[in-house]
Amino acid sequence: MRISVLSRQSGVPVATIKFYLREQLLPPGTPTARNQAEYGEEHLIRLKLIRVLTGIGMMSIASVREVLAAIDDNCLSPQAVAKVVTKALLADYPAEDSEPGALESARQRIDDFVRNVGWRVEPDAPARSTLTQVFAALQYLGRDGDSNAFELYASAADALARRELDESPQESAATAVALTVLHEVAFAAMRRMAYEHYLALSPASVTGPEQATSAD
C-alpha cells in the first residue's frame, strides 16, 4: 500500500509516519520509485502499536524505541520484554530522592511484602523500585498505615495478571505489549471511576459540606 493508504488505515498522519520512519521506529517500505515506497500489513501493525504506546500509553519516543527494540529482539524472553515495558511505563516517575535511611527502611518493608505475597520479582525490577518510593512517601507523610491497602491491590493485581496471561498465551510480543499497556491504563481509569462513584454517594457530596456539618 502507498503511504497515503497506510495513513488512512492507521489513522496516523503522513507527516507523523515520515517522522517515525526518520526515527527508525517504523521500518522502511519497499522502494518502487524515487521518493516512493510500498508498505505492508507489518507496517500497519507497527503503526497501531506505536500509536497505542505514544497515545494512551503516554510513552516518550525514547521509551517507545526501547520497547520496540525489545519486541524485535527474538532472543529476549517474555519476562525480559515485560521488564522493558514496565520501565517505559514508569519512566516519568522521579528518581529516588528520599533520605537514605528512610528509603532503606521502605525497601525492607517492600521486600517483606513481596515475600509474603509470594511473587518472584527481581530486586532491581522497576515496579519494585517505584513501590518502594511510594511506601517511603507514605512514611514521610505519616501515613504508614495506608500501606495496608497494598494487600488489596496485590490481590486484585494477582488475579488480573493470571487472567490476562491465561487468556493470551499465544499472542505475539507486539500484541502482548499493547494489551499490557491498555490494561494498565484501564485499571487506573476504573479505580478513579470507582472513587467518583463512592464520593457521589457520600452525604457530603449530596448535601454539601456546610449542610453536612450542621446536620451533625
Side-chain angles (χ1 to χ4, degrees):
M1 69 186 83
R2 301 286 295 276
I3 194 171
S4 57
V5 178
L6 182 62
S7 172
R8 186 165 58 251
Q9 292 193 12
S10 65
V12 179
V14 171
T16 303
I17 294 176
K18 291 181 177 180
F19 170 74
Y20 292 155
L21 288 167
R22 289 195 301 271
E23 292 294 317
Q24 298 182 344
L25 299 179
L26 189 68
T30 303
T32 57
R34 184 177 181 182
N35 297 327
Q36 292 186 6
E38 286 287 335
Y39 300 91
E41 188 68 20
E42 68 277 11
H43 292 91
L44 181 59
I45 294 173
R46 175 61 68 99
L47 263 181
K48 289 182 177 180
L49 175 59
I50 295 173
R51 192 177 186 187
V52 167
L53 298 180
T54 59
I56 198 166
M58 295 186 292
M59 290 187 190
S60 66
I61 293 298
S63 294
V64 171
R65 181 177 287 106
E66 291 181 1
V67 171
L68 294 178
I71 291 174
D72 293 338
D73 189 344
N74 295 325
C75 295
L76 286 182
S77 65
Q79 292 88 346
V81 175
K83 192 172 183 179
V84 173
V85 175
T86 301
K87 180 181 177 182
L89 287 170
L90 301 174
D92 292 334
Y93 281 83
E96 297 176 352
D97 56 0
S98 303
E99 291 293 330
L103 195 59
E104 182 57 32
S105 172
R107 184 175 289 112
Q108 291 176 2
R109 292 286 295 274
I110 294 304
D111 287 347
D112 292 340
F113 171 76
V114 173
R115 189 180 305 111
N116 290 336
V117 172
W119 287 341
R120 295 175 57 184
V121 183
E122 294 293 331
D124 62 343
R128 188 171 190 149
S129 175
T130 297
L131 191 58
T132 298
Q133 293 180 61
V134 170
F135 190 83
L138 287 172
Q139 289 181 314
Y140 175 73
L141 294 173
R143 300 298 299 268
D144 201 354
D146 287 4
S147 62
N148 293 332
F150 285 6
E151 294 182 6
L152 293 175
Y153 294 148
S155 178
D158 191 272
L160 288 170
R162 284 174 179 266
R163 180 172 181 177
E164 290 168 14
L165 291 173
D166 288 344
E167 289 184 347
S168 55
Q170 304 300 324
E171 297 286 6
S172 67
T175 300
V177 166
L179 291 176
T180 297
V181 173
L182 292 174
H183 289 155
E184 179 104 359
V185 176
F187 183 73
M190 283 187 278
R191 178 177 175 272
R192 294 175 188 132
M193 291 167 67
Y195 256 91
E196 182 177 341
H197 168 69
Y198 285 107
L199 285 172
L201 294 178
S202 67
S205 66
V206 174
T207 62
E210 295 181 357
Q211 296 180 32
T213 301
S214 62
D216 293 338

